[in-house]
């Protein structure tokens, strides 16, 4: 690869990052867009919020359960798999918003973000399984 080709590729990667990995700040949290789409084509993101005791809450904002039409059993499984916490919610029928999160110190922020990302990724297993179950029940 020539130096010119490398520079063009790096510039294209920077453009991709600027377009698809945006970070927004509100008065309550920082929202980081991810280059992942939920099953309904809405973009996934991670919400990062400081807590009153000096820790950082990293969360999906309840979007994974809502957009992926997950059950509480699905949410519990994902949280156990990635050692995440979840809101205490009744076993309602989807769609509902049940926040998946972790509370960490700033030094562990990247680890918590990756666990949320992996939970979002693995939620597709449940999307497909729930579709299969639904089709079988319709027969």
């Amino acid at each position: 690869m020539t130096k010119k080709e490398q520079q063009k590729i790096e510039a294209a990667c920077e453009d991709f990052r600027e377009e698809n990995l945006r970070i927004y700040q509100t008065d309550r949290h920082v929202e980081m867009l991810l280059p992942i789409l939920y099953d309904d084509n809405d973009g996934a993101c991670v919400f990062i919020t400081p807590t009153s005791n000096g820790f950082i809450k990293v969360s999906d904002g309840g979007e994974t359960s809502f957009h992926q039409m997950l059950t509480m059993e699905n949410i519990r499984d994902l949280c156990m798999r990635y050692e995440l916490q979840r809101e205490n919610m009744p076993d309602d029928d989807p769609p509902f918003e049940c926040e998946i999160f972790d509370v960490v110190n700033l030094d562990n922020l990247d680890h918590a973000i990756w666990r949320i990302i992996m939970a979002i990724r693995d939620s597709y297993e449940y999307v497909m399984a729930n579709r299969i179950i639904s089709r079988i029940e319709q027969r």
Side-chain angles (χ1 to χ4, degrees), residues 80-116:
M80 283 180 31
R81 186 180 306 170
Y82 292 106
E83 298 176 356
L84 296 167
Q85 300 174 56
R86 62 175 167 76
E87 286 181 294
N88 289 323
M89 304 264 310
D91 286 340
D92 290 337
D93 289 332
F96 56 82
E97 293 181 1
C98 178
E99 187 176 36
I100 296 172
F101 65 94
D102 197 8
V103 178
V104 297
N105 63 38
L106 191 57
D107 292 340
N108 292 321
L109 177 67
D110 59 337
H111 186 65
I113 290 171
W114 275 113
R115 289 191 312 203
I116 296 291

Side-chain angles (χ1 to χ4, degrees), residues 35-137:
I36 301 171
L37 295 177
Y38 287 115
D39 192 52
D40 62 4
N41 287 322
D42 195 17
C45 55
V46 174
F47 298 90
I48 303 162
T49 310
T51 65
S52 59
N53 59 359
F55 288 91
I56 305 293
K57 180 179 181 181
V58 180
S59 148
D60 75 338
E63 292 188 354
T64 303
S65 62
F66 181 79
H67 292 288
Q68 301 292 67
M69 301 282 290
L70 301 179
T71 67
M72 277 309 295
E73 182 180 358
N74 300 152
I75 296 297
R76 283 190 286 268
D77 289 347
L78 285 171
C79 289
M80 283 180 31
R81 186 180 306 170
Y82 292 106
E83 298 176 356
L84 296 167
Q85 300 174 56
R86 62 175 167 76
E87 286 181 294
N88 289 323
M89 304 264 310
D91 286 340
D92 290 337
D93 289 332
F96 56 82
E97 293 181 1
C98 178
E99 187 176 36
I100 296 172
F101 65 94
D102 197 8
V103 178
V104 297
N105 63 38
L106 191 57
D107 292 340
N108 292 321
L109 177 67
D110 59 337
H111 186 65
I113 290 171
W114 275 113
R115 289 191 312 203
I116 296 291
I117 290 170
M118 290 185 296
I120 293 170
R121 178 201 62 201
D122 285 5
S123 71
Y124 275 93
E125 294 175 17
Y126 298 107
V127 169
M128 295 309 298
N130 292 341
R131 280 189 186 146
I132 291 168
I133 291 167
S134 176
R135 287 182 183 144
I136 291 170
E137 290 174 346

